[in-house]
Amino acid sequence: MANSDTRFIFTGDEGVLNIVCPADKTDLTLDQIKAKSCPSDKTVYTVNKSVIPTDTTFSDAWIYTDSGFGIDMAKAKELHKTNIRIARTPKLAELDIEFQKAQETSADTSAIVAKKQALRDAPADSAIDAATDEAGLKAQWNTSILGTSPYS
């Protein structure tokens, strides 16, 4: 088996999963690479690269235990909310301009205000908190107000 077929996995100090990918073009053995690249005070798992999930959408929320990969749903939900906040920023800026133009002409601004409020409320959608897995969380992207989902 080539070095590049192996991965070393450990959880770093900030709770983020680290994955070390050994190179083939080295004179070091896998044990030497592990000793050099992984902390001695952490549990380090040696796995085949085939067990690494291919969907990296919520990779910052990955966890790894003796039973394999999983996801920290609390972290994944926060990542999802961050994605919503990023998506809504330019939309709020566009609505701010629409609002100012409407005020200049004394036009009704209630529809604009409602759209802005919907964008502000999007990260607090109760369906996000109710999601129990990655697929359910990805489904909580309201395309009617946020546009195209980053998960599709």
Side-chain angles (χ1 to χ4, degrees):
M1 177 168 67
N3 285 352
S4 61
D5 290 334
T6 301
R7 299 292 184 264
F8 301 121
I9 302 171
F10 62 93
T11 302
D13 292 333
E14 293 82 34
V16 175
L17 200 65
N18 292 268
I19 301 174
V20 177
C21 306
D24 286 329
K25 294 184 179 184
T26 181
D27 294 330
L28 299 176
T29 66
L30 283 172
D31 287 336
Q32 290 170 323
I33 294 169
K34 183 177 180 179
K36 183 177 179 179
S37 303
C38 301
S40 59
D41 63 335
K42 302 281 184 192
T43 300
V44 179
Y45 299 94
T46 303
V47 301
N48 187 284
K49 70 179 182 181
S50 65
V51 304
I52 307 293
T54 55
D55 181 352
T56 59
T57 303
F58 297 113
S59 61
D60 285 349
W62 285 353
I63 55 174
Y64 192 84
T65 64
D66 291 329
S67 56
F69 275 92
I71 187 162
D72 179 332
M73 281 303 293
K75 281 186 184 179
K77 288 173 184 180
E78 287 307 311
L79 292 168
H80 181 71
K81 290 175 184 181
T82 297
N83 288 340
I84 289 172
R85 290 180 184 107
I86 290 168
R88 77 178 180 186
T89 298
K91 295 178 182 324
L92 284 167
E94 290 170 15
L95 289 169
D96 284 343
I97 293 168
E98 273 186 56
F99 183 82
Q100 289 172 346
K101 287 179 180 178
Q103 279 188 320
E104 289 173 0
T105 61
S106 299
D108 182 21
T109 59
S110 59
I112 299 167
V113 170
K115 287 178 187 178
K116 288 174 66 170
Q117 192 59 52
L119 287 167
R120 284 190 202 99
D121 292 344
D125 187 333
S126 61
I128 295 170
D129 288 331
T132 58
D133 59 20
E134 288 180 79
L137 189 55
K138 288 177 184 180
Q140 301 314 314
W141 188 268
N142 187 340
T143 56
S144 67
I145 60 170
L146 297 168
T148 304
S149 171
Y151 311 128
S152 51

